[in-house]
Amino acid sequence: MSKKILILGANGFIGSSLSWAILKNTDWEVYAFDMSDKKLAHCLKNERFHFFEGDVNIHKEWIEYHIKKCDVVIPLIAIATPTLYVQDPIRVFNLDFESNLDIVKKCVKYGRRIIFPSTSEVYGMCQDKAFDEYESNLTLGPVPKERWIYSCIKQLIDRVIWGYGNHEGLDFTLFRPFNFIGPKLDDIKNRKEGSSRVMTQFLHNIINDKPIKLVDGGLQKRSFTFIDDAMKCMLKIIENKDNCASGRIFNIGNPYMEFSIKELAEMLIEEISKYKGYENIAKTVKIETVSSEEYYGKAYQDVAFRVPSIKEAEERLGWKPQTDLRTAIRLTLDYHLLGKDYELEQ
Ligand code: UDP
């Protein structure tokens, strides 16, 4: 039977990619909600896509009605940019915690399935070689390091959802994205320093002749995950064959794509120089080192590495990421520099 999927925050990076992946690969209906539809042009043409432009704190009745009406609820409305954790932690709390808790409670009330975005940030400064959903400790810094508010909020919501699942029958899945990258991650135009995720920030700086800034030298590592791989995993979670995803937590990441931020910068420069107009970029681009305090302020604390264990997703969902970093960079550059949309061309 065709499922009805409610996606709150459908215009974001994950929301827009997921909406398109659903329309392309399934016969499900998508009820989409966001403040803007800028990234949804191709979805809007599909008759299974129903978009409503609204604000999560104002259009509560629309949301409640659609929670009742749909089979699966995916609340993606959140601030997920490290600079803002430090600059405006209360806004992060109001949106990421309070607004989302309301939605979780409505899913409990109406007996709806919820697929909720946790975050790889919940593991914080955990020292495990690969972070395990059920075994790894979630290790956060002190309160004045305000950057941890996001991680802490997500961790509490994870625990609330888990509690509703275990004690009040909520059908849930938590997923933890590990540095998803790809075409629609942030807007690369008019980005203020620190306002977007690392890959988009670097791209913006290169294109606008600004120096690339390596925070603390860029030796910290991340596992980058191409959005297409991640969405394949999401589809399996939504499909929930034989309840394989119910009551579970899944890291969605690519343990085979662990690179330092410096290596990411180098690869990006190498790849960009293959595009017309950017042939000399390797010689002209400036790379600077800045301290994290200078870049983000005193309330920041970095994570040195973060590698997911994806055993749970491999075993329960039969999923494995396929795309290497160079290909992910190339597809992202094709989108920004050549206006190619790989999703539409496949
Ligand atoms: N970073 C950097 N230069 C920038 C932006 C980010 O060196 O212009 C670093 C940042 O300090 C962090 C890493 O890149 O260690 C990844 O940052 P991002 O904002 O993408 O997300 P995070 O993985 O920290 O959630």
Side-chain angles (χ1 to χ4, degrees), residues 121 179 198 201 213 215 220 222 295-296 300 302 306:
E121 288 252 323
N179 289 81
V198 63
Q201 188 68 60
K213 295 193 175 160
V215 173
Q220 63 278 40
R222 293 292 187 272
Y295 193 83
Y296 291 105
Y300 183 75
D302 211 337
R306 136 196 314 167

Side-chain angles (χ1 to χ4, degrees), residues 229-270:
D229 286 333
M231 292 308 104
K232 285 183 184 144
C233 187
M234 288 295 294
L235 290 183
K236 285 177 181 277
I237 290 175
I238 301 173
E239 190 186 2
N240 200 22
K241 202 168 167 224
D242 302 324
N243 284 331
C244 61
S246 283
R248 315 301 302 188
I249 310 175
F250 294 99
N251 288 334
I252 306 183
N254 192 335
Y256 320 106
M257 280 225 302
E258 194 197 15
F259 290 90
S260 72
I261 301 304
K262 187 161 177 268
E263 287 166 333
L264 171 76
E266 288 162 356
M267 206 184 283
L268 189 60
I269 293 165
E270 248 176 72

Side-chain angles (χ1 to χ4, degrees), residues 153-341:
I153 286 166
K154 288 286 190 181
Q155 192 190 137
L156 182 54
I157 291 224
D158 283 4
R159 293 182 194 275
V160 171
I161 291 175
W162 187 272
Y164 275 126
N166 259 347
H167 301 274
E168 299 193 20
L170 176 67
D171 185 357
F172 75 90
T173 303
L174 298 171
F175 67 95
R176 297 189 172 148
F178 279 68
N179 289 81
F180 290 179
I181 53 170
K184 295 191 181 86
L185 173 64
D186 305 315
D187 180 356
I188 63 160
K189 296 187 189 102
N190 313 315
R191 298 316 293 184
K192 275 211 317 264
E193 200 72 61
S195 66
S196 55
R197 269 59 64 96
V198 63
M199 172 136 150
T200 348
Q201 188 68 60
F202 285 172
L203 191 52
H204 167 87
N205 291 20
I206 295 172
I207 289 171
N208 292 290
D209 283 330
K210 293 187 204 162
I212 283 185
K213 295 193 175 160
L214 295 177
V215 173
D216 294 333
L219 298 180
Q220 63 278 40
K221 292 182 170 176
R222 293 292 187 272
S223 300
F224 297 97
T225 313
F226 188 54
I227 188 72
D228 218 22
D229 286 333
M231 292 308 104
K232 285 183 184 144
C233 187
M234 288 295 294
L235 290 183
K236 285 177 181 277
I237 290 175
I238 301 173
E239 190 186 2
N240 200 22
K241 202 168 167 224
D242 302 324
N243 284 331
C244 61
S246 283
R248 315 301 302 188
I249 310 175
F250 294 99
N251 288 334
I252 306 183
N254 192 335
Y256 320 106
M257 280 225 302
E258 194 197 15
F259 290 90
S260 72
I261 301 304
K262 187 161 177 268
E263 287 166 333
L264 171 76
E266 288 162 356
M267 206 184 283
L268 189 60
I269 293 165
E270 248 176 72
E271 285 305 310
I272 268 209
S273 61
K274 295 177 186 163
Y275 288 75
K276 201 161 170 262
Y278 296 97
E279 294 86 346
N280 293 322
I281 213 81
K283 286 188 209 111
T284 54
V285 70
K286 289 196 183 66
I287 303 182
E288 293 174 357
T289 285
V290 292
S291 72
S292 54
E293 193 175 324
E294 228 178 296
Y295 193 83
Y296 291 105
K298 271 198 172 56
Y300 183 75
Q301 196 167 26
D302 211 337
V303 173
F305 61 90
R306 136 196 314 167
V307 182
S309 155
I310 54 165
K311 212 165 84 233
E312 181 78 343
E314 283 177 339
E315 288 176 6
R316 296 193 74 89
L317 307 172
W319 172 83
K320 213 181 172 129
Q322 312 280 345
T323 318
D324 60 75
L325 183 58
R326 210 171 275 281
T327 308
I329 291 176
R330 195 171 42 70
L331 291 168
T332 307
L333 291 176
D334 280 355
Y335 174 79
H336 288 296
L337 304 181
L338 307 177
K340 275 196 196 172
D341 202 332

